Amino acid sequence: MLRRAFLLLIMIGGIGLVVWSGVQNLHHRRLEAQRRADQAVIVRTPEPDPSASPLLGKPAPDFTLVDLKGKKVSLKDFKGHPLLLNFWGTYCDPCKIEMPWLEEFQKKYSSQGFEVVGVTYDAEVGRDKIAASTRQLGVTYPILLSDSDAEKAYLSDSEVLPMSFYVDRSGKIVQVTAGLGGKDQLEAMVKKTIAAND
Amino acid sequence: MTDMKPMLAIAALLALTASPAITASAQLNMNAPAKGKTYVTYAAEPQTVAANKQAMLELRFQIASGYHVNSHTPKSDFLIPTAVTLQPTAGVKAGVPQYPHGVPYSFSFDPGTKLDVYAGSFTVKLPVVAGSGEHTLEGALKYQACDNASCYPPRTVPIKVLFKAK
């Protein structure tokens, strides 16, 4: 009788242990999932995927677009300069997170010829609203209004915003990123772009 | 004397199965959400309403997993609201669409900014007064989708609401 009670106690204890460990496992898995989700938001593209864009390794397609003051700006205006061409939208909060970083990098690396150009993918938004958005972000680098030719050349395979093309001094696209990445990773790609074909 | 071996074996087995469950907490398969060009789909379903009386049609939309769209009343002027537009149709007097409340959402990289979004599915209600018979209301839903680290340009999805008034 005592022996049976003891064995029953062991079995109940074993079942309890399984249930408790299952609850703990679920809790740990949820925490891990949340941790990965949080990390995934900041570290979206830790390394450029060579297969992600057909433009990678190719000369940057030429464009002539209009800035917020109506002045025409072409890719060839930046010839010989390492360039970050950043597609964004006024409705894109992830874009607005990285744009102040790009402003910072523009200033930090301007002595090495580095330039940043923003291209807004805002078909229906007027210049005033775009200008207000860039003012709010503290952005002073050129902002150009996209057109169908530029969109066809750069965004035909993907409409993810933000989307950035890193162009070296020779005019070749050496990096492509889509989505918000980490600031350190962005800066590392800026440095690589400056160093390429230097 | 009772044979204790089976009971001891069961107890041992239970104890052994508990320990891997405790340690294997990081073995989680994180399937990334599928990324497609269509972020919102319209689930067209024929409906029946009372003729010549104020009635309500329901327009049901499904948002792809992993994405959200702004509600009809986003919290910033820069954000594009989700909105239904409909073409006039003979025999049908349509009122102003009624949108559901959004749910609060913040990107984890910007927790201080609160957005008002739809995720999963949402239903827009449309008040109508329609004459007897079958009717088709045509229009579009405009929306702008994001996931947790990117956004996508505004899109429209065509809507066709088939209903019978009797």
Side-chain angles (χ1 to χ4, degrees), chain A residues 27-72:
Chain A
H27 176 65
H28 282 295
R29 285 166 66 188
R30 281 179 177 165
L31 283 177
E32 180 65 19
Q34 182 61 47
R35 184 187 70 81
R36 287 187 189 189
D38 287 346
Q39 284 185 344
V41 169
I42 298 299
V43 187
R44 180 170 176 86
T45 51
E47 292 295 333
D49 177 2
S51 64
S53 171
L55 292 179
L56 191 63
K58 303 257 173 67
D62 197 13
F63 60 77
T64 297
L65 300 172
V66 172
D67 70 9
L68 293 178
K69 293 180 181 172
K71 180 187 161 194
K72 286 186 182 177

Side-chain angles (χ1 to χ4, degrees), chain A residues 100-122:
Chain A
W101 302 343
L102 303 186
E103 175 74 13
E104 185 185 319
F105 299 151
Q106 152 92 71
K107 291 185 167 108
K108 187 173 178 181
Y109 297 103
S110 62
S111 60
Q112 299 178 58
F114 178 65
E115 303 264 14
V116 177
V117 171
V119 182
T120 178
Y121 197 15
D122 272 295

